Amino acid sequence: MPELIQPNKNKPGQHPIIPTNETVELSESEIKQINDALHHVPFASGASIDALKIIQQHRGWVSDACLKALSDHMKVSTADLDAVATFYNLIFRQPVGKVVLHPCDGISCDLMGGKKIRKCLSKKLGIGNGQTTADDQFTLIPLPCLGACDKAPVMIASEKLFELMDENSVANILKDLSSKAGDKS
Amino acid sequence: MSEQQAPSNPLTRFITDDENCWTLEQYQTHGGYDGLKKALTMTSPDVLETIKQSGLRGRGGAGFPTGLKWSFVPQGDDAPSPKYMIVNADEMEPGAFKDRWLLEKSPHQILEGLIVGGFTLQADIGYVFIRGDYYLAIERIEKAIQECYDAGLLGKNIQGSGFDYDIHIHTSAGRYICGEETALINSLEGKRANPRAKPPFPQVAGLWGKPTIVNNVETFCNLPHIINFGPDWFKGLGRCKDAGTKIFGVSGRVKTPGLWELPMGTPIRELIEVHGGGMCDGYKLKGYLPGGGSTDFLTEEHLDTPMDYDEIGKVRSRMGTGTIIVLDDKYCPIEMVINLVKFFAQESCGWCTPCREGLPWGVEILEKIEQGRGEMCDIEQLEALTRFAAPGNTFCALAPGAVEPLQSALNYYRDDFIKHIEQGCCPYEAGEHNHD
Ligand SMILES: Cc1cc2nc3c(=O)[nH]c(=O)nc-3n(C[C@H](O)[C@H](O)[C@H](O)COP(=O)(O)O)c2cc1C
Ligand code: SF4
Ligand code: FES
């Protein structure tokens, strides 16, 4: 496989992609969970999404090396796994920060000032959509309608829904989340 | 026992202020699982006949009669097996928030519907295909499934009926197209969520090639009550032709946005002005999408239209999910359409050209107009685009749905388009909610 080009490490919000010749081994608990998922489906490929999610749950994202390890374990080609991985919004093929912020960019939120909230988040963190802060705390990935349109504008982060946000609440929410992210590391 | 007398709010009578109203214990004290228990004393064909007679139509957007859809599933000893029954809980339609509420507040009602459905078609396995971002809902559905197993409502020989049935949960990895029923089936098979060509229809060859039924969360919620209180009661609930109640919602700049269970056929005016509390002070109604982000705009003149599939069709929009998105007079309608078409462009599965290429092209033209660089011929281009993406030209209903708000905006807000082009800027620029 050709060497991947190393992106400029000094560029804010960008991560080096690990070279594909690096190998990783799946952990025991990953293998156990993946085998559980395989148990439920008539064909191994049927567990692709679940398996990718399991990897991500353990490692935060799915690297090329993980994809290779998964492929070896499941006997599903890396191309097929990557086709699935790149299709879905919630599978990350790049490293993400400790907390992924999902402000809603659906229409009901935007009617209620959602754009302002997203701008405010972006400005406070100094990153654009899809980017990660230099300290690896936050990644910003807006998502479509989060199903809480009567509480607009809203955001999901750390499996929690923040409702009726305004520019004043953004700072507090970030402070709260970053202290929790600190606990994790 | 007053609750056992036919209720007028079957879907929400279980939802109380109590944090734990979702639990099996509370659900059962309000008559939960009575519908299932009654169904288990009937024959499967009788249950199907009851559902057919009720006139229940799918609540996921298209309004297809549920009983009719189910009648295509092969039955009898030589029917393929296993058979699958799937709850479509992948809610992601812009402006739709009813399924999340039902999932969080009344998971057992959905499971009861799924078990009744399974019994009706003698299915073997039920799935809840749920949006991955709905964390609380996932947690509660998981717990509720466990409670069912513990109480003998799932598993082998349910309630001594001889009927075996299991339910699994699949949390989606996130894409709007997963809500399309054949794409959902592909996703459940671990594939990219591209829709499938029909025929064969999923009722005959769906998940893993076996007979499969996919219905919306709210559709399933209705089933136990139809069995419990009868099809005539159900038909009597509606205010027009359509049977039953519906979870309606209003979002946007109204005083009290929210969700309410009301009779089918409730007029739009009542929803926006009474339940939604009317427009916020300082804002006027400019228009609304009656059934979520993929339905055509309607305006003030249509306010007295009942929320009934046929009646809304007559004024050339759709009931969709029954969740109204209100556009106020300070928000640029073109900006609203950009938001929507961008969403659909982003969520296109990429299978067919009018959708994959046409929608981003539409966004480009709309942004050009919004930024004051538009020309009159752009309006014609947009109109052409809505025709390219019309039903029949694409593989699934995503692209046709995407151009519904666009084509109706071109109709009702044409002056706004022209003003943008003539003035060379957005006339709403001064509005406090745009562009800042
Ligand atoms: C792009 C697209 C997205 C859809 N998303 C959903 C959805 O999130 N939930 C849903 O119930 N139906 C959705 N549908 C409709 C389903 O294809 C299907 O018609 C529905 O689940 C059938 O259930 P019902 O008859 O109970 O409404 C979607 C359709 C399309 C074309
Ligand atoms: S209309 Fe769009 S979403 Fe539907 S199949 Fe075609 S490309 Fe995919
Ligand atoms: S549009 Fe943001 S929650 Fe629905």
Side-chain angles (χ1 to χ4, degrees):
Chain A
M1 253 185 271
E3 279 279 320
L4 281 177
I5 300 160
Q6 286 275 349
N8 180 358
K9 281 191 187 171
N10 301 324
K11 225 164 146 193
Q14 283 227 333
H15 283 267
I17 294 171
I18 59 165
T20 43
N21 54 10
E22 195 172 303
T23 56
V24 296
E25 272 186 38
L26 302 179
S27 72
E28 232 168 78
S29 72
E30 278 170 323
I31 289 178
K32 191 185 162 294
Q33 281 176 276
I34 292 166
N35 288 349
D36 268 357
L38 283 167
H39 192 71
H40 282 293
V41 289
F43 306 100
S45 60
S48 301
I49 297 173
D50 297 295
L52 288 162
K53 278 185 152 180
I54 291 163
I55 302 272
Q56 182 162 305
Q57 205 186 346
H58 287 264
R59 300 166 192 256
W61 66 294
V62 182
S63 66
D64 292 350
C66 286
L67 209 66
K68 178 78 176 57
L70 193 57
S71 162
D72 290 342
H73 182 73
M74 291 177 70
K75 307 277 183 287
V76 175
S77 76
T78 46
D80 281 354
L81 285 174
D82 205 20
V84 171
T86 51
F87 188 87
Y88 294 96
N89 296 335
L90 300 180
I91 309 261
F92 306 136
R93 286 285 279 114
Q94 279 180 46
V96 291
K98 293 197 186 78
V99 176
V100 183
L101 302 170
H102 295 300
C104 176
D105 64 5
I107 185 58
S108 300
C109 283
D110 270 18
L111 285 164
M112 300 300 285
K115 224 178 214 176
K116 267 190 201 165
I117 303 297
R118 294 196 303 282
K119 279 237 167 97
C120 179
L121 281 165
S122 190
K123 212 169 126 197
K124 280 207 156 50
L125 298 170
I127 51 172
N129 292 342
Q131 295 184 335
T132 301
T133 51
D135 62 359
D136 278 341
Q137 288 276 355
F138 292 108
T139 301
L140 190 59
I141 303 178
L143 281 182
C145 182
L146 297 173
C149 320
D150 54 341
K151 307 278 167 29
V154 302
M155 173 171 85
I156 286 179
S158 294
E159 308 200 351
K160 196 171 168 305
L161 182 70
F162 298 91
E163 302 173 341
L164 298 167
M165 291 174 70
D166 57 34
E167 281 158 301
N168 299 326
S169 64
V170 168
N172 285 334
I173 291 172
L174 287 181
K175 214 168 101 199
D176 198 40
L177 285 170
S178 68
S179 68
K180 281 204 192 98
D183 294 347
K184 262 204 248 173
S185 57
Chain B
M1 284 299 281
S2 64
E3 270 155 337
Q4 281 312 292
Q5 280 151 21
S8 59
N9 60 336
L11 304 177
T12 51
R13 69 199 162 106
F14 305 98
I15 299 175
T16 62
D17 290 335
D18 190 328
E19 223 350 77
N20 289 322
C21 71
W22 65 271
T23 57
L24 179 61
E25 191 193 342
Q26 293 220 12
Y27 182 64
Q28 280 189 312
T29 55
H30 292 93
Y33 289 101
D34 285 359
L36 171 66
K37 284 173 190 155
K38 186 163 170 196
L40 292 173
T41 65
M42 300 162 68
T43 65
S44 295
D46 281 351
V47 180
L48 181 58
E49 191 51 37
T50 308
I51 293 166
K52 266 195 204 161
Q53 276 175 14
S54 74
L56 172 66
R57 296 175 70 165
R59 306 298 198 228
F64 195 81
T66 306
L68 181 63
K69 175 169 172 171
W70 289 17
S71 64
F72 299 119
V73 174
Q75 291 296 336
D77 292 340
D78 53 356
S81 112
K83 290 193 279 246
Y84 298 100
M85 195 108 216
I86 304 173
V87 179
N88 189 343
D90 197 48
E91 184 174 66
M92 213 164 160
E93 174 82 11
F97 50 113
K98 67 181 181 77
D99 293 344
R100 187 172 72 91
W101 189 60
L102 287 168
L103 286 156
E104 288 180 3
K105 299 287 181 187
S106 197
H108 277 291
Q109 188 170 214
I110 301 163
L111 296 181
E112 185 180 0
L114 184 55
I115 305 170
V116 168
F119 177 74
T120 311
L121 297 174
Q122 292 295 302
D124 302 85
I125 295 170
Y127 278 101
V128 181
F129 189 102
I130 188 167
R131 182 167 177 192
D133 310 294
Y134 281 8
Y135 296 103
L136 182 60
I138 293 168
E139 184 190 316
R140 291 200 173 155
I141 286 282
E142 276 174 348
K143 285 187 185 155
I145 291 174
Q146 193 52 50
E147 284 184 318
C148 283
Y149 276 106
D150 294 344
L153 291 160
L154 276 177
K156 294 255 175 272
N157 190 17
I158 295 171
Q159 304 285 300
S161 64
F163 172 57
D164 304 338
Y165 193 59
D166 287 302
I167 293 182
H168 304 302
I169 180 167
H170 175 91
T171 55
S172 169
R175 269 315 272 276
Y176 170 65
I177 190 63
C178 292
E180 198 281 338
E181 61 183 18
T182 57
L184 182 151
I185 290 170
N186 273 338
S187 188
L188 208 47
E189 289 186 5
K191 300 179 185 145
R192 289 168 82 100
N194 293 116
R196 291 180 179 178
K198 295 185 249 186
F201 287 88
Q203 292 99 310
V204 182
L207 184 63
W208 311 115
K210 302 294 180 186
T212 304
I213 283 287
V214 181
N215 276 112
N216 175 252
V217 166
E218 191 184 348
T219 311
F220 277 106
C221 285
N222 278 290
L223 300 174
H225 314 298
I226 292 171
I227 304 302
N228 207 359
F229 304 110
D232 291 332
W233 158 81
F234 190 72
K235 275 192 261 184
L237 290 173
R239 277 165 70 164
C240 296
K241 222 177 96 201
D242 280 321
T245 59
K246 173 94 190 64
I247 309 285
F248 291 113
V250 179
S251 66
R253 240 169 239 286
V254 293
K255 287 202 183 103
T256 52
L259 294 164
W260 314 276
E261 180 185 14
L262 295 163
M264 271 290 186
T266 299
I268 295 171
R269 184 187 296 284
E270 205 178 307
L271 290 168
I272 296 178
E273 293 179 2
V274 179
H275 301 283
M279 297 304 289
C280 290
D281 294 334
Y283 294 87
K284 284 205 204 79
L285 180 86
K286 171 120 185 159
Y288 48 91
L289 305 174
S294 56
T295 60
D296 282 278
F297 275 102
L298 292 177
T299 63
E300 190 132 30
E301 63 180 297
H302 308 108
L303 277 174
D304 293 310
T305 313
M307 282 292 251
D308 172 280
Y309 288 101
D310 293 347
E311 296 298 319
I312 300 197
K314 280 186 203 153
V315 293
R316 294 204 300 177
S317 189
R318 286 191 306 122
M319 165 86 89
T321 54
T323 40
I324 301 174
I325 310 171
V326 172
L327 169 65
D328 59 74
D329 62 336
K330 300 223 165 87
Y331 199 92
C332 173
I334 297 176
E335 202 179 330
M336 176 159 177
V337 176
I338 291 176
N339 176 299
L340 292 165
V341 182
K342 225 185 209 169
F343 161 77
F344 291 110
Q346 174 191 309
E347 295 300 325
S348 162
C349 83
W351 199 252
C352 28
T353 319
C355 181
R356 182 189 62 240
E357 308 292 335
L359 297 181
W361 178 41
V363 173
E364 212 166 289
I365 301 173
L366 284 162
E367 282 185 333
K368 192 175 141 203
I369 296 174
E370 176 67 11
Q371 290 159 7
R373 298 180 287 115
E375 299 159 74
M376 285 302 172
C377 61
D378 289 333
I379 295 183
E380 285 152 44
Q381 288 275 301
L382 288 171
E383 277 171 341
L385 178 83
T386 64
R387 287 192 296 273
F388 288 137
N393 294 342
T394 61
F395 218 54
C396 86
L398 185 142
V403 295
E404 280 181 28
L406 172 60
Q407 70 194 14
S408 47
L410 285 167
N411 178 20
Y412 294 120
Y413 307 125
R414 206 175 187 84
D415 287 353
D416 286 291
F417 280 85
I418 294 172
K419 239 191 236 167
H420 276 75
I421 294 168
E422 283 180 351
Q423 295 181 359
C425 67
C426 174
Y428 293 81
E429 209 87 50
E432 53 177 318
H433 301 293
N434 300 279
H435 310 298
D436 40 17

